[in-house]
Amino acid sequence: MKVLLINAPVPIINIPGMGFGKVVSPPLGISYIAAVLEEAGVEAAICDAQNLKMNLREIGREIEMLKPDIVAISCFTANYGEAQKVAELAKKIVPQAMTVIGGPHVSFTAGKTLRETPSIDVVVRGEGEQTMLELTQVVEGKISLAEVAGITYRFRGAVVNTPDRPVLDDLDSLPFPARHLWPDKYIQRGMREVPIITSRGCPFGCVFCSTSRMAGPVFRARSPQNVVDELQHVVDDLYFDRFIFNDDTFTLDNERAIAICDAIVDRGLDITWACSARVDTVSKELLSRMSDAGCDMIYYGVESGNQEILDRFIGKRITLEQARRAVKLTHEAGIVSVASYIIGFPGERGDKEFQAYLKRGEYGTTYDLNSLRGTIFESLVRAKEVDSDQAQVHLLTPFPGTRLYDEADSLGVKILTEEWWRYNLQLPVIETNTMSVEDIWSAYRTYMDEFDTYNNIRHERRLKRMRRRMEAKA
């Protein structure tokens, strides 16, 4: 039994300044699936077309070489179209193979996916480790598709959904991701950090995010011992000492986060790492321990500079005061802070006068900032108050599986297209009850220009702060 797990390529976007990031980050999802399959005696291979920038011809060669019994493709919304092409290619090369697709996009559009893509046999909904293992048993004739939870398939011309698969509670029971299947080309492509995930599930349910539905609303966490064992394994076997924690909120359980940090220090692991956190889940003690354990960057999802939008629309359950406090404590701990914002929310208004003011180069001097309340530019000026080392901006995007997608009309959002390649957080795909798509696009370009300037200024400030700290230690 042979399974080829393909991380679908991303579409090429011929728009200046647009596209997908150049950071090489190997796919943990299919790496976990590969590890589970190997543990059961199944031959598994990984084809990371996304990070290795592979075209269809190159993917086809991988399929021809392995001649797999199952071709399983992982995708998100923006590269769903590319995943469809890979499935069509696989059916031509190995027509007898079962073609499977999984990921957040198809988990919430499973029936539609099958109806519009005849070359796909099965959709895996939600977490895929146990489901993929059972699909190998289907191919071997040991069980039927109807016995596999968490899938959607065709039967006599009809689309069939089996019951949802319960999420895995004991994450420690999973083997470590099959990193031995990662190609050396990652290094050649510039991989600088190894991804690791220590928890699944999110209890918050923000309007623009599907995590609480995809991975469940209950926070499930690996034990500190298990996490640090994996870190040790990567350091010893891959010789990497830089990590990115891909948890939605690494700091959700402070006691566990501190225990992980203490275990890193106790083992003498000389590593550095970055993570994501909520602004209401950090404390001076926690940040200090994180810094001691090698954390040098934290990403905070502030989302909006308008408290009413945070409360009424997003459902984030944080305050701007908490954001300012978290960033201040992060700086005091010697950790770089990155704040992320989203623009294009219903209720936000345009302000052409302020855009003209910015073009005159007078930002922060004479303009009455109170007059920006309720405009799309409020986050821009509040970012200066939050005072993070870096600031990022994305466009509000209604991904399938989110409340924003399911309840768009009632939320004051009009979805303009389902050309999925546009769903990359950089292209506007909506208009709202207060802003046209042209207004949103114009505001986004203004943000990009202003945040470039902001980040350059903060970078110089950060370097000065680092030099002072080094001089103090000397």
Side-chain angles (χ1 to χ4, degrees), residues 85-232:
K85 295 175 187 176
V86 173
E88 292 165 3
L89 178 67
K91 274 300 182 190
K92 290 178 182 177
I93 298 173
V94 282
Q96 77 286 355
M98 175 187 286
T99 49
V100 181
I101 192 167
H105 179 85
V106 298
S107 288
F108 301 109
T109 60
K112 182 178 180 182
T113 295
L114 290 182
R115 284 189 289 271
E116 65 189 14
T117 319
S119 55
I120 294 174
D121 297 321
V122 179
V123 175
V124 172
R125 308 190 314 270
E127 295 176 352
E129 291 92 355
Q130 184 60 31
T131 305
M132 280 301 304
L133 181 58
E134 291 179 15
L135 286 176
T136 65
Q137 296 169 357
V138 171
V139 173
E140 292 172 333
K142 297 178 180 178
I143 61 175
S144 68
L145 284 171
E147 296 175 82
V148 181
I151 65 170
T152 302
Y153 64 98
R154 298 183 197 86
F155 181 72
R156 293 179 180 174
V159 171
V160 178
N161 292 297
T162 63
D164 291 342
R165 180 177 295 279
V167 296
L168 178 66
D169 289 326
D170 182 12
L171 298 182
D172 282 5
S173 67
L174 289 172
F176 296 154
R179 294 189 175 92
H180 60 280
L181 297 178
W182 292 359
D184 293 336
K185 288 182 180 178
Y186 283 151
I187 309 298
Q188 300 165 15
R189 292 279 182 175
M191 185 174 81
R192 297 289 180 265
E193 57 192 14
V194 173
I196 181 173
I197 189 163
T198 77
S199 64
R200 298 181 184 181
C202 179
F204 296 103
C206 294
V207 70
F208 50 76
C209 181
S210 65
T211 297
S212 60
R213 289 182 63 190
M214 182 71 183
V218 177
F219 180 72
R220 296 166 287 138
R222 295 166 57 189
S223 67
Q225 170 81 24
N226 184 259
V227 171
V228 181
D229 282 349
E230 184 178 348
L231 294 171
Q232 182 83 62

Side-chain angles (χ1 to χ4, degrees), residues 279 302 305 307 319-331 382 384-387:
V279 297
V302 179
Q307 189 62 54
T319 66
L320 292 171
E321 178 55 38
Q322 287 173 327
R324 289 187 283 268
R325 176 181 176 276
V327 168
K328 181 175 183 294
L329 291 176
T330 302
H331 291 170
R382 298 305 173 202
K384 187 175 181 180
E385 297 175 2
V386 171
D387 202 31

